[in-house]
Amino acid sequence: MTSTQWRDLTHLPGVSDAVAAARSAIEQVHRHPANRRGWPRTSAAASVRAARASAILDGGSGEIDSNADSITDPVLAGALRVAAAIGALVPVWERAPLQALARLHTLAAADLEDPAALGRPTPGRPELSSRLDGLGQMVLTAPWPAPVLVAVVHGELLNLQPFGSADGVVARAAARLTMISTGLDPHGLTTPEVGHLRVGSAYLRSVAAFGDGSDVAGWIIDVCTALIGGAREGASIADAAG
C-alpha cells in the first residue's frame, strides 16, 4: 500500500480520539518519578518484557530460566537479541528503514533460518520489493501522528510477511523503533506487545482486517489500545523500581 492511499487515516472514525488517548497514556509514564532519572533501568526491564510477549505471539516461549546458561527457545532467543539491539538500530531506522529490517531479521531468525537467508526477503515474490520500498518511503515521509505510523508499520509488516520466518518479531520490533524514533516513547518505557498478547486471537483478526482494507480504523484503534495497555505495564515497571 502506498502513502497516498493512507493520507486520510487520521480522519477515520475513532482514530483521532484513540491517538490522543495513546499519547496521553505514554506521556504519563515518562512523567513517572522513577523515570525522570532512572529510565535506563526501567527501559531495560520494559524491553525484556516486550521481547517475551513478542516471542509468545510468534509461537515461542516467554519463560526465562535464570539458572540456565542460555535461552533454548529459538524464538525467544531471537526476540531478546532484537530487544538488545533496538537502541543501536534507531538511527539506522531513521535513515535506512530497509537496512534496519534486514538487521532485525538477521537477529530474530538466527536460530530459525539458513544463514544465507538471514536479512533477505523471501525470493519468488515479484511484488515484495516494491512493497518494501513503499514501506521504507512511508517511514521516512508519512505525515501522520506517531501512533498511526506505528500502527501502519506494524500492520504492513505483519501482513506482508517479507522474510518467511520471525516476521512477527520483526514487525513488532519495527513498531517499537517507530515509537522511539518519532518521540512517541523515546526511552522505550512501554510494552504494547503485552497489550497485543492479552487480546489473544483478536490481534491477528484485527491485523487481517487492516490488510484487506475491511477495517483499517479498527486496527489503528486496536494498536492505540495496546499502546495504552503498554503504558500501564510501563507504569507498573516504574512503580516496582521505586
Side-chain angles (χ1 to χ4, degrees):
M1 299 179 183
T2 65
S3 58
T4 55
Q5 290 175 290
W6 298 101
R7 62 174 175 259
D8 295 323
L9 285 180
T10 53
H11 301 300
L12 293 173
V15 168
S16 292
D17 288 343
V19 165
R23 281 192 185 279
S24 177
I26 295 171
E27 287 168 0
Q28 287 181 37
V29 177
H30 281 262
R31 290 195 295 267
H32 192 289
N35 288 329
R36 289 175 187 163
R37 292 187 178 179
W39 66 262
R41 183 162 61 125
T42 52
S43 175
S47 178
V48 171
R49 194 173 296 191
R52 293 170 67 183
S54 189
I56 295 169
L57 284 164
D58 255 26
S61 170
E63 297 298 321
I64 298 176
D65 184 352
S66 59
N67 296 316
D69 293 332
S70 61
I71 302 295
T72 58
D73 181 79
V75 179
L76 178 58
L80 289 168
R81 281 192 297 267
V82 164
I86 288 289
L89 283 174
V90 170
V92 183
W93 182 251
E94 291 173 340
R95 69 174 186 272
L98 300 189
Q99 182 181 334
L101 287 177
R103 181 59 180 158
L104 288 173
H105 182 251
T106 297
L107 294 167
D111 300 324
L112 299 168
E113 189 65 85
D114 186 298
L118 293 174
R120 298 177 180 275
T122 306
R125 295 177 59 188
E127 85 291 355
L128 194 53
S129 178
S130 62
R131 290 282 297 275
L132 286 172
D133 286 344
L135 177 67
Q137 272 303 112
M138 181 188 68
V139 169
L140 297 175
T141 63
W144 311 312
V148 174
L149 183 58
V150 169
V152 175
V153 167
H154 188 164
E156 283 283 271
L157 286 168
L158 274 183
N159 279 290
L160 192 54
Q161 300 280 302
F163 300 107
S165 60
D167 287 306
V169 169
V170 169
R172 288 179 290 274
R176 197 165 189 82
L177 283 170
T178 306
M179 291 170 59
I180 295 170
S181 66
T182 58
L184 176 64
D185 182 9
H187 295 321
L189 301 176
T190 68
T191 61
E193 297 85 350
V194 174
H196 292 303
L197 179 60
R198 285 180 173 161
V199 301
S201 60
Y203 171 63
L204 293 181
R205 289 198 301 272
S206 182
V207 76
F210 167 82
D212 65 21
S214 62
D215 194 4
V216 172
W219 168 250
I220 297 172
I221 292 167
D222 287 346
V223 168
C224 288
T225 300
L227 290 171
I228 294 167
R232 283 195 295 268
E233 287 286 314
S236 73
I237 291 169
D239 287 341

